[in-house]
Each structure stands twice: as structure tokens, then as C-alpha cells.
């Protein structure tokens, strides 16, 4: 099984912070932080409805709707570098494609937990700096 990437760094105050954004991915798509902030704003505005739609599709066990909403969440999270959310949405999308309705609820719970973690992180004033710091720390660790 593939090892999950490191998702936390130590802040200047000594506290561990969960970092659900992979800056190496995010920085590939956005050259300036203003554009990134606009896209993240759209994500924060639109994606809660996508998650609600996904929850409704899970409740009704309609695989086609689950696949559609999971695919949408996967793409949006990939764009902003939310790799763990992207992976979880992909698993849900794949389960829907395979019509594995028995897996929907557990996969949705994991996806929703990751989504909530991401949203909490994005509402932090220093989220960009924290994501960059984690990226720098990972690069330094790889050089050792």
C-alpha cells in the first residue's frame, strides 16, 4: 500500500497543525496568490453544496448521482491541491462507478471528515503560509 504523505508540521508555537493542502500541487496551477484566493473562495462557496448533494445521493443510493458529485468534488479539490480530499472523492467515485452501494456510507464519512478538515484549514488567516511552510519542510527533509 502506498504511504500517505506527511500532513502536519510544527508551528512556531510548537503545536502540530494539520495541513490538508499540498503546496507543490497548488503552486503548479497558480502563479499568484490573488488568483489562488479567488479560486479557493469559489471552492469554499460552492463545494458545501456539492457535499450536500453527495450526501443526498448516498442516502438515495443512486450510483450515477454519487459518481457525478464525487467527480465534481474530486476535480475541485485537485485544483486547489487538497490531495487527501481528492483521493477520498476518487474512491467514492470509483465505488459508484462499480455500483458498490455498500461502500458508499463509509467512504462518504471519510470524505466528509476530510472536507471538514480542509474547510477549517482554509478559514485560517495563515493557511497559505502554513502550506508553504510544510512544503519547505518536506523539501528540506528530502534533501537530508
Amino acid at each position: 500500500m502506498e504511504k500517505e504523505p506527511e500532513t502536519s508540521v510544527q508551528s512556531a508555537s510548537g503545536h502540530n497543525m494539520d495541513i490538508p493542502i499540498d503546496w507543490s500541487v497548488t503552486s503548479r496551477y497558480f502563479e499568484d496568490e490573488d488568483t489562488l484566493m479567488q479560486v479557493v473562495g469559489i471552492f469554499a462557496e460552492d463545494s458545501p453544496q456539492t457535499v450536500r448533494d453527495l450526501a443526498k445521493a448516498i442516502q438515495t443510493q443512486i450510483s450515477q448521482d454519487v459518481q457525478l458529485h464525487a467527480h465534481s468534488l474530486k476535480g475541485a479539490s485537485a485544483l486547489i491541491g487538497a490531495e487527501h480530499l481528492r483521493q477520498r472523492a476518487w474512491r467514492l467515485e470509483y465505488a459508484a462507478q462499480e455500483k458498490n452501494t455498500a461502500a458508499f456510507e463509509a467512504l462518504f464519512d471519510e470524505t466528509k471528515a476530510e472536507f471538514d478538515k480542509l474547510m477549517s484549514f482554509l478559514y485560517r488567516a495563515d493557511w497559505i503560509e502554513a502550506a508553504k511552510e510544510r512544503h519547505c519542510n518536506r523539501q528540506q527533509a528530502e534533501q537530508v
Side-chain angles (χ1 to χ4, degrees):
M1 179 175 240
E2 188 175 322
K3 183 182 173 191
E4 292 280 329
E6 183 66 32
T7 62
S8 65
V9 294
Q10 197 110 27
S11 70
S13 62
H15 294 82
N16 265 352
M17 302 179 298
D18 209 15
I19 309 295
I21 295 284
D22 184 336
W23 190 257
S24 66
V25 174
T26 305
S27 63
R28 277 187 256 156
Y29 294 115
F30 301 98
E31 291 183 13
D32 65 273
E33 291 179 12
D34 290 336
T35 305
L36 171 61
M37 291 299 290
Q38 289 176 350
V39 172
V40 166
I42 293 167
F43 177 90
E45 188 175 310
D46 293 350
S47 60
Q49 184 61 50
T50 302
V51 171
R52 287 190 294 274
D53 292 343
L54 185 54
K56 184 176 179 182
I58 298 283
Q59 287 177 335
T60 59
Q61 299 283 296
I62 300 173
S63 293
Q64 185 176 0
D65 290 350
V66 172
Q67 186 176 356
L68 172 72
H69 298 303
H71 180 79
S72 177
L73 185 61
K74 178 186 76 173
S77 57
L79 182 62
I80 64 169
E83 283 297 295
H84 288 183
L85 179 58
R86 182 198 60 78
Q87 291 169 3
R88 283 163 180 75
W90 177 85
R91 290 178 190 135
L92 191 49
E93 179 185 14
Y94 184 76
Q97 182 180 345
E98 297 294 311
K99 298 187 182 0
N100 183 2
T101 57
F104 285 177
E105 204 165 308
L107 290 170
F108 176 75
D109 290 346
E110 292 174 9
T111 302
K112 177 71 166 75
E114 192 64 37
F115 175 77
D116 291 343
K117 184 183 349 177
L118 173 63
M119 293 302 288
S120 293
F121 178 72
L122 293 176
Y123 281 110
R124 289 176 35 178
D126 70 338
W127 74 266
I128 290 177
E129 291 77 20
K132 286 180 178 179
E133 179 183 351
R134 175 177 156 240
H135 176 69
C136 288
N137 289 346
R138 284 176 61 189
Q139 284 184 321
Q140 289 173 353
E142 289 173 1
Q143 292 174 353
V144 174

